[in-house]
mmCIF file of all heavy atoms in Angstrom:
data_model
loop_
_atom_site.group_PDB
_atom_site.id
_atom_site.type_symbol
_atom_site.label_atom_id
_atom_site.label_comp_id
_atom_site.label_asym_id
_atom_site.label_seq_id
_atom_site.Cartn_x
_atom_site.Cartn_y
_atom_site.Cartn_z
ATOM 1 N N VAL D 15 -9.486 5.198 123.466
ATOM 2 C CA VAL D 15 -8.049 4.933 123.445
ATOM 3 C C VAL D 15 -7.455 4.919 124.851
ATOM 4 O O VAL D 15 -6.711 3.996 125.206
ATOM 5 C CB VAL D 15 -7.312 5.959 122.562
ATOM 6 C CG1 VAL D 15 -5.816 5.721 122.592
ATOM 7 C CG2 VAL D 15 -7.828 5.887 121.126
ATOM 8 N N TYR D 16 -7.765 5.921 125.658
ATOM 9 C CA TYR D 16 -7.181 5.980 126.998
ATOM 10 C C TYR D 16 -7.595 4.780 127.870
ATOM 11 O O TYR D 16 -6.744 4.198 128.545
ATOM 12 C CB TYR D 16 -7.507 7.310 127.682
ATOM 13 C CG TYR D 16 -6.715 8.460 127.105
ATOM 14 C CD1 TYR D 16 -7.336 9.447 126.352
ATOM 15 C CD2 TYR D 16 -5.346 8.555 127.300
ATOM 16 C CE1 TYR D 16 -6.615 10.502 125.808
ATOM 17 C CE2 TYR D 16 -4.613 9.603 126.763
ATOM 18 C CZ TYR D 16 -5.252 10.571 126.021
ATOM 19 O OH TYR D 16 -4.525 11.602 125.485
ATOM 20 N N ALA D 18 -8.341 1.826 126.762
ATOM 21 C CA ALA D 18 -7.645 0.676 126.172
ATOM 22 C C ALA D 18 -6.196 0.623 126.641
ATOM 23 O O ALA D 18 -5.667 -0.454 126.954
ATOM 24 C CB ALA D 18 -7.713 0.744 124.646
ATOM 25 N N ALA D 20 -5.057 1.874 129.460
ATOM 26 C CA ALA D 20 -5.081 1.525 130.886
ATOM 27 C C ALA D 20 -5.267 0.023 131.079
ATOM 28 O O ALA D 20 -4.600 -0.593 131.922
ATOM 29 C CB ALA D 20 -6.194 2.295 131.601
ATOM 30 N N GLU D 23 -1.961 -1.757 130.155
ATOM 31 C CA GLU D 23 -0.973 -1.636 131.232
ATOM 32 C C GLU D 23 -1.301 -2.570 132.387
ATOM 33 O O GLU D 23 -0.421 -3.229 132.941
ATOM 34 C CB GLU D 23 -0.902 -0.194 131.730
ATOM 35 C CG GLU D 23 -0.091 0.703 130.839
ATOM 36 C CD GLU D 23 0.152 2.066 131.467
ATOM 37 O OE1 GLU D 23 0.401 2.123 132.700
ATOM 38 O OE2 GLU D 23 0.084 3.051 130.735
ATOM 39 N N SER D 30 2.998 -9.868 134.689
ATOM 40 C CA SER D 30 4.362 -9.835 135.214
ATOM 41 C C SER D 30 4.396 -10.262 136.674
ATOM 42 O O SER D 30 5.295 -10.984 137.100
ATOM 43 C CB SER D 30 4.955 -8.431 135.081
ATOM 44 O OG SER D 30 5.098 -8.084 133.735
ATOM 45 N N THR D 35 1.892 -17.204 131.844
ATOM 46 C CA THR D 35 2.206 -17.427 130.441
ATOM 47 C C THR D 35 2.506 -16.093 129.775
ATOM 48 O O THR D 35 1.802 -15.115 130.017
ATOM 49 C CB THR D 35 0.999 -18.098 129.747
ATOM 50 O OG1 THR D 35 0.661 -19.272 130.456
ATOM 51 C CG2 THR D 35 1.311 -18.433 128.313
ATOM 52 N N TYR D 41 -2.505 -4.070 118.787
ATOM 53 C CA TYR D 41 -3.446 -2.955 118.783
ATOM 54 C C TYR D 41 -3.874 -2.636 117.359
ATOM 55 O O TYR D 41 -3.049 -2.587 116.451
ATOM 56 C CB TYR D 41 -2.795 -1.702 119.397
ATOM 57 C CG TYR D 41 -3.781 -0.628 119.755
ATOM 58 C CD1 TYR D 41 -4.267 -0.517 121.037
ATOM 59 C CD2 TYR D 41 -4.248 0.277 118.804
ATOM 60 C CE1 TYR D 41 -5.176 0.474 121.372
ATOM 61 C CE2 TYR D 41 -5.157 1.252 119.129
ATOM 62 C CZ TYR D 41 -5.620 1.343 120.415
ATOM 63 O OH TYR D 41 -6.538 2.312 120.745
#
Side-chain angles (χ1 to χ4, degrees):
V15 177
Y16 287 110
E23 281 189 40
S30 295
T35 305
Y41 195 96

